[in-house]
Amino acid sequence: MTYLLRDVSTMTVRGLRLVSRDVDAMITAVLLPVVILLMFVLVFGGALDVGTDYINYVTPGVILLAAGFGAANTALAVEHDMSSGMVERLRSMPVTAWTVLSGHVVASLAKNLATTAIVFGVSILMGFRPEASALEWLAAVGMILLFVGWITWLAALVGVLVRSPDAAGGFSFIVMFLPYVSSAFVPVDTLPGWMRGFAEHQPVTPVIETVRGLLAGDVATAADPGGAAALAVAWCLGLGVTFAVAAGLAFRARR
Amino acid sequence: MTTTLRDAVALAERPARPSPLSTTLTFGWRALLKIKHVPEQLFDVLVTPVIFTLMFTYLFGGALAGSTQAYIQFLLPGILVQTILFVTIYTGYTLNTDISKGVFDRFRSLPIWRPSPVVGALLGDTVRYTVAAVITITLGLILGFRPDGGLGGVLLGVLLLLVFAFALSWTFIILGLLVRSPNAVMGVSMIVLMPLTFASNVFVDPETMPSGLRAFVSVNPVSHLVTAVRGLMAGSPDATEIVWVLIASVVLTAVLGPIAMRIYRSKS
């Protein structure tokens, strides 16, 4: 167990080093969500009636969108490790080889936490006023990390399965699509009927509703056992475990 | 009677030098052949307007205008402008690709009118703009866009847009001549065009924007172009805006055209 933890921490440090050296990806990961936040609040905010200040409504959605961008970079990093021969070298060493995936995932969580903090900072400068208590803040961050966790394991799985950087990059397009067709930017009831069905029953919507509720200081959202929070946790844990196991199996199968 | 190679080579007088028009048209045809041989380059032209139109109509239409049907009437002329302006980037992109591959060095050794490779490429790209416009309008009609200006209004709107796009292309030609790689052309162009198209009246009425942004939108050339095209398509043309766009097009061409050609000659 000690060896396992040591391997994971070593790979995490390696993952963080890779992140810190890819300056372009770092700038994009921070700038893109900020630009999207500015665009939606300044250009669309005044025209959209969401029952509250639009900045309060949209911030959780932009944070999850940022997580998607981060996950896309993870897919690229894993694909690079698989195709560059790095994994073959690890397999010849007394190292639990799949910890390379865990390292990428934990590094992605850390990077996304930093991006989330920056997006929160910018949104507060723009007038975002959360009414959450310390406990609610903690729960909101936990919810975001759960979301980042499953989406990053999905990215790791994609990185193992694909055979080219272009294919890994294409993953970001799909991941970006999910938050748009949810309650991230507009209330679900303003969407056309056929789209509303999908938006209401996909994993991103309950996560956004939960984070939004927690940041607004709405404890009822989190306490309701059949509500968005329970659904969000179930989605995230279910998908996280599924994709982690699938990534591990795919990693072992790929030679 | 056919002329043999020996006879052709032995001709005392040189063949007539091709006219500027014929060389320009030849290079225009070359631009079209590029599309034929590398159809993937049309991917952005085809996909971008489709994604933007569908996304904004269905995701934001209900929230912004009450219904997707109402919003598409407002949105489509704006999306059309945005699409064509993004496509103008490819003029500089393909020019830079030609330069980096060394093709332009070969053109310079030919006895042709110097600017014809550039002007020809511009003419060829006009076809690309037209394709993008047809796709965007067709999709709009499928989604429920019903222009009150009728076919005439739509054609005039597209024509005005093509005139402006031709003028704006000189900007990206200059960029294509100055920067080092095709990807750099794309990156810099996006940095310029993204704020211009989003901080405009393409997607929402500027009245709903903060005052600082509204001030920028009112002087943004894209906003003037969108208003002019929207007016023509809606059957209520705004003469002031149309004249503004035409003057801007003439000024852009008159100022940037010679600068582009000067840079082009200096690279010879």
Side-chain angles (χ1 to χ4, degrees), chain B residues 151-194:
Chain B
L151 182 64
V154 170
L155 289 176
L156 284 171
V158 171
L159 187 64
L160 184 70
L161 185 49
L162 292 181
V163 168
F164 186 83
F166 182 88
L168 186 70
S169 295
W170 289 107
T171 312
F172 301 113
I173 282 175
I174 291 169
L175 204 58
L177 290 166
L178 292 177
V179 302
R180 291 191 175 190
S181 72
N183 285 343
V185 175
M186 194 64 82
V188 175
S189 304
M190 282 296 185
I191 288 167
V192 173
L193 275 185
M194 275 291 192

Side-chain angles (χ1 to χ4, degrees), chain A residues 39 42-44 46 48 186 192 195, chain B residues 56 58-59 63 198 204 208 210:
Chain A
M39 185 185 83
L42 297 176
V43 177
F44 298 103
L48 292 165
V186 289
M195 197 182 270
Chain B
F56 280 96
Y58 287 117
L59 291 183
F198 279 98
V204 290
T208 63

Side-chain angles (χ1 to χ4, degrees), chain B residues 17 20 23-24 27 104 107-119 261 264-268:
Chain B
R17 194 177 178 134
T23 54
T24 301
F27 280 105
F104 262 63
F107 293 156
R108 286 193 193 106
S109 68
L110 298 173
I112 56 170
W113 183 51
R114 258 288 170 72
S116 57
V118 174
V119 180
M261 293 326 300
Y264 176 62
R265 283 193 195 96
S266 70
K267 286 183 90 80
S268 302

